[in-house]
Amino acid sequence: MNLSAFLRVRPAALAALGLAAALGFSAPAGAQAQEEGVRSAVGKQSAFARFVPAEDIEAAASQQYAQMASQARQQNALLPDNHPHVVRLRAIAQRIIPYSLEWNSRARDWKWQVIALQSKELNAFCMPGGKIAFYTGIIEQLKLTDDEVAMIMGHEVAHALREHARERMGKTAATKVGANLLSSLLGLGGTGDALLNMGGQLLTLRFSREDESEADLVGMELAARAGYDPRAGVSLWQKMGAAAKGAPPQWLSTHPSGTSRIQEIQASLPRVMPLFERAAKPPRRFDAPLRTGALDPMEALQLGYWGRGEVRLGSVAALGQPHTHD
């Protein structure tokens, strides 16, 4: 399968596509932007990440992401580009991604992609290399606002930017075969059997509590700079906690929750609220009520998400839905 129709997001590319003005994007600049936010509270990357080459884990993630999308398409579970969920997710992603570039130099060359999968699972993720996916269950069952979607997306993107999966794999591999042997194996070049086997772990990795706290912090900043209210992190985790009273959602199995996490988010709000208050706000809210009466038949898909917000189907540039070529 070839992955195409992607949008390589960087400030120059956004300008070339005429999206910068529409998205209200302005790149962080100046000493003030550097001093604000959560950067001083985020630690350095673990040395274990160096045992797994970034380009190899990104290649493995791309392959697994394509396989997942192909299987979903065969099962009619891959939502089309003009579906309201996809339109909404890509619009939010287009606002968040430009602010992610300062956190990881490799992100400027990632082939960012966003897809939505029809499933009752309460799940979302961003694989290494900027491969984002949301399950419809987490959007519909939790009745997510745009701000809450942005908090989830920012959190998952932060995992990719901070290369937490690469770190986890490095620790696992170093424990099993020894750091020296791993470095020798992966130094042979290409994505061999070892990395292909690692690729199968990308959707089941369990991050550490430190990884989760870091992703919360970075995700809050990304969402705030993009114009989404970081206070939504509190309501999001309240909803997740309520959903966990029955069978714990899959997302909670790898994202520990609880009152302590909400308290940590609240304690971090003073770092990011000034960024949100100054940020250009989204030109369209997808969770706003309709301002008109009956829906036009062509707008029936607006019922696909809970708020019945206004949307122009197909108006948002696709962030790379995978597809096959004959």
Side-chain angles (χ1 to χ4, degrees):
M1 170 181 290
N2 295 320
L3 297 183
S4 58
F6 61 82
L7 176 62
R8 180 173 297 175
V9 182
R10 60 179 71 185
L14 288 173
L17 291 171
L19 290 175
L23 299 180
F25 166 72
S26 58
Q32 185 179 30
Q34 294 299 321
E35 293 172 359
E36 290 182 324
V38 304
R39 192 173 295 273
S40 63
V42 175
K44 296 181 180 180
Q45 185 183 55
S46 170
F48 283 100
R50 302 173 187 172
F51 295 139
V52 181
E55 59 272 17
D56 289 345
I57 192 173
E58 290 167 12
S62 179
Q63 179 178 355
Q64 186 177 0
Y65 187 80
Q67 291 174 346
M68 177 190 65
S70 176
Q71 292 173 357
R73 184 182 299 104
Q74 293 173 7
Q75 298 168 3
N76 294 320
L78 182 66
L79 301 188
D81 287 348
N82 66 349
H83 190 283
H85 284 326
V86 180
V87 173
R88 183 192 196 192
L89 291 171
R90 290 177 178 173
I92 293 172
Q94 284 179 334
R95 295 190 63 83
I96 289 176
I97 290 171
Y99 294 100
S100 72
L101 307 184
E102 301 300 322
W103 285 93
N104 188 320
S105 60
R106 294 186 60 81
R108 296 181 178 274
D109 295 318
W110 285 353
K111 298 175 182 178
W112 291 87
Q113 295 175 269
V114 180
I115 59 174
L117 305 172
Q118 186 69 47
S119 171
K120 293 182 179 180
E121 293 182 20
L122 277 69
N123 202 12
F125 59 84
C126 179
M127 298 173 73
K131 309 302 185 185
I132 301 170
F134 270 68
Y135 292 78
T136 57
I138 197 168
I139 300 172
E140 296 170 355
Q141 293 183 46
L142 298 189
K143 296 180 169 59
L144 296 179
T145 66
D146 288 358
D147 298 310
E148 291 166 347
V149 170
M151 287 297 295
I152 293 176
M153 189 176 293
H155 176 98
E156 297 301 332
V157 166
H159 277 308
L161 294 172
R162 299 297 294 166
E163 300 186 287
H164 290 156
R166 184 183 175 199
E167 176 187 343
R168 292 291 107 193
M169 289 185 177
K171 287 182 178 180
T172 299
T175 300
K176 288 184 177 180
V177 301
N180 291 334
L181 177 58
L182 178 67
S183 297
S184 175
L185 287 173
L186 299 182
L188 296 176
T191 305
D193 291 340
L195 273 176
L196 290 178
N197 291 335
M198 286 183 183
Q201 305 172 25
L202 290 173
L203 292 179
T204 59
L205 284 175
R206 299 180 68 89
F207 297 120
S208 69
R209 187 67 186 87
E210 291 75 17
D211 290 343
E212 292 297 332
S213 295
E214 187 173 272
D216 281 345
L217 284 173
V218 177
M220 288 172 65
E221 176 170 321
L222 294 176
R225 288 187 182 276
Y228 296 101
D229 192 338
R231 290 171 295 190
V234 174
S235 60
L236 169 64
W237 285 105
Q238 288 172 339
K239 289 181 179 181
M240 292 299 294
K245 290 181 179 179
Q250 181 177 345
W251 205 62
L252 276 183
S253 69
T254 53
H255 298 72
S257 183
T259 56
S260 61
R261 187 165 200 168
I262 292 177
Q263 290 172 353
E264 289 177 7
I265 291 174
Q266 291 173 325
S268 300
L269 285 175
R271 293 176 177 269
V272 295
M273 282 304 295
L275 300 175
F276 165 67
E277 290 165 356
R278 289 202 317 271
K281 303 306 184 289
R284 172 174 285 113
R285 295 286 306 196
F286 293 87
D287 52 11
L290 285 171
R291 299 171 184 166
T292 57
L295 290 171
D296 183 279
M298 294 300 293
E299 299 175 327
L301 282 177
Q302 290 185 25
L303 296 174
Y305 49 94
W306 77 278
R308 295 180 65 193
E310 290 182 303
V311 62
R312 297 175 184 175
L313 299 182
S315 63
V316 179
L319 278 167
Q321 176 172 309
H323 65 279
T324 57
H325 292 286
D326 294 333

